[in-house]
Amino acid sequence: MKNNRLSHLFLFCVASSLVLIQVGCGENKTQVELLRALDNVERISKKLDQIPMDSIANVKDRLSSAKDDIRWLGIDSNVVFLKADVKVIEGLSKASRFLKDAPSRYIGLMNEIDRCKKQLYSLREVIEEGANRDALGDTIDDEYIVKNARLEIEAVATLGELVDESIRLISLGLEADSAGWEAIDSLLVAKKGEWARGVSGNEAEKGL
């Protein structure tokens, strides 16, 4: 009899625990999803922090200066660009194109990270405090919470994709610069020398 009572008690405890777990899971499912989304935002933020923005700024300045030199050398009558030179210049344009919007993309992504964090924290606070009105005065119910949670979780997923794409483009730009800068620098030195000789020759002719 004693063993039977213990068995029934054990089964009752197990059954009660399972019911509590199921209820708890149902009530906390959205909170768990929001917490997971916050973790994802933190991972995305750390990934974005690894982008070498100072190095990118230096490369962009150097490439911009090189493009300016190419422009004025290209319109000077003392300088002649050959077909082989065009390929080198294309490498310069490729690197510039990939890095062109890097600073503005970075700022935009940082802003979106902050927005996602605020929204996710606000939703968790609404659930924990049981608020029934949002800042706009709209009614907060289960449908409201589920809908807004889904929107913010999707926003985090999109944010992750945008960060990955930005990192890809920046990597391509830095790789293009690394692969082509030596040739670009050599071309500029050669063309500036050509320009200097031409100017010197013109001045000599005028002196005669």
Side-chain angles (χ1 to χ4, degrees):
M1 287 294 291
K2 185 177 180 181
N3 288 337
N4 286 337
R5 283 198 301 271
L6 289 174
S7 297
H8 288 313
L9 181 60
F10 174 75
L11 292 173
F12 174 78
C13 291
V14 170
S16 299
S17 298
L18 290 173
V19 169
L20 289 173
I21 290 170
Q22 290 173 352
V23 172
C25 287
E27 291 177 349
N28 296 326
K29 181 179 178 182
T30 302
Q31 289 175 302
V32 170
E33 290 175 345
L34 291 175
L35 184 59
R36 187 181 298 119
L38 279 167
D39 289 340
N40 288 338
V41 172
E42 289 299 331
R43 282 195 289 271
I44 292 169
S45 180
K46 289 178 181 178
K47 187 182 293 186
L48 193 63
D49 287 341
Q50 293 175 1
I51 296 178
M53 292 308 299
D54 289 342
S55 297
I56 291 170
N58 292 334
V59 170
K60 279 174 57 65
D61 288 343
R62 178 160 46 75
L63 293 175
S64 179
S65 178
K67 288 172 72 175
D68 289 342
D69 286 342
I70 292 293
R71 288 191 188 97
W72 72 261
L73 286 167
I75 61 177
D76 193 284
S77 59
N78 295 299
V79 181
V80 178
F81 281 91
L82 307 175
K83 286 185 177 181
D85 300 331
V86 174
K87 186 174 181 180
V88 175
I89 295 171
E90 286 176 350
L92 168 64
S93 299
K94 181 180 179 182
S96 297
R97 187 171 64 254
F98 284 128
L99 298 175
K100 179 182 178 181
D101 299 324
S104 60
R105 281 201 307 270
Y106 181 84
I107 293 172
L109 291 169
M110 289 296 292
N111 289 338
E112 179 61 8
I113 284 174
D114 288 340
R115 191 202 68 80
C116 285
K117 284 182 180 180
K118 289 177 182 177
Q119 290 298 103
L120 291 168
Y121 277 121
S122 294
L123 281 169
R124 290 194 68 205
E125 187 176 340
V126 163
I127 294 172
E128 291 170 359
E129 295 183 356
N132 53 25
R133 294 280 179 182
D134 64 11
L136 300 175
D138 294 330
T139 300
I140 297 175
D141 53 19
D142 290 343
E143 183 180 354
Y144 173 101
I145 292 173
V146 171
K147 177 183 177 182
N148 283 277
R150 184 179 68 251
L151 289 174
E152 294 307 322
I153 290 168
E154 290 174 354
V156 172
T158 300
L159 174 62
E161 293 172 359
L162 290 174
V163 168
D164 287 342
E165 177 63 8
S166 295
I167 291 174
R168 186 185 73 85
L169 293 174
I170 288 171
S171 296
L172 289 173
L174 294 177
E175 288 170 5
D177 171 68
S178 179
W181 177 251
E182 185 176 348
I184 293 168
D185 191 42
S186 296
L187 176 64
L188 288 174
V189 170
K191 295 306 176 184
K192 286 178 180 179
E194 189 177 318
W195 168 79
R197 289 189 295 273
V199 170
S200 179
N202 291 337
E203 291 177 348
E205 288 180 5
K206 289 177 181 178
L208 294 173

